[in-house]
Amino acid sequence: VQLVESGGGLVQPGGSLRLSCAASGFTCSRAAMSWYRQAPGKARELVATITTGSRTNFGDSVKGRFTISRDNAKNTVYLQMNSLKPEDTAVYYCRLWTSQEYWGQGTQVTVSS
C-alpha cells in the first residue's frame, strides 16, 4: 500500500488549498481514510476522517472550514481547506486504516502573509 500526498504549499491567511492523497495497492473506499497534521514541536493531531460509509468527522479546530471527500474512480481522498489560518501551518499526512494502518510521506502547508 502506498499513499502519496500532494497540494501543499504557501498560502496567505484566509486563502484555500486542496490536498490530495492518491492511494495504490488498496481501494481507499474500503478503508477509513484520514488526514492528520503535525506542527513543529506539537503532537500529531487528527484533522478529518471519511469512513467506508462516507461518514465524515473533523477536529474541532477545523470544523466549518475543512471538508474531506473521496473520488473512488481515482482512488484518491481530498482535503479542501478554506479560511486558512497561520495556526493551520503543519505537515499534513494521509492515513489509511483497515486491519493495519498506512501513512503517506506528508505535504507541507504554510499559512503566512
Side-chain angles (χ1 to χ4, degrees):
V1 178
Q2 186 176 18
L3 304 173
V4 178
E5 301 100 332
S6 61
L10 173 65
V11 63
Q12 292 187 343
S16 298
L17 280 176
R18 188 178 77 157
L19 305 183
S20 300
C21 172
S24 59
F26 196 89
T27 302
C28 66
S29 61
R30 297 174 60 192
M33 300 294 297
S34 299
W35 286 95
Y36 284 74
R37 68 185 182 187
Q38 187 165 21
K42 295 188 176 181
R44 191 170 293 190
E45 67 169 337
L46 176 65
V47 176
T49 295
I50 183 165
T51 68
T52 55
S54 297
R55 294 177 65 181
T56 60
N57 61 72
F58 300 89
D60 288 341
S61 61
V62 306
K63 283 180 181 176
R65 299 188 297 124
F66 290 12
T67 59
I68 186 170
S69 62
R70 184 175 58 218
D71 185 330
N72 293 338
K74 295 182 178 180
N75 209 28
T76 298
V77 174
Y78 302 97
L79 183 70
Q80 178 67 44
M81 307 186 293
N82 299 326
S83 303
L84 283 162
K85 305 175 181 180
E87 51 264 43
D88 294 318
T89 296
V91 178
Y92 284 70
Y93 298 91
C94 180
R95 174 183 181 258
L96 181 153
W97 166 256
T98 57
S99 56
Q100 54 186 359
E101 64 180 4
Y102 301 89
W103 292 88
Q105 81 290 348
T107 185
Q108 175 71 47
V109 172
T110 302
V111 184
S112 175
S113 56

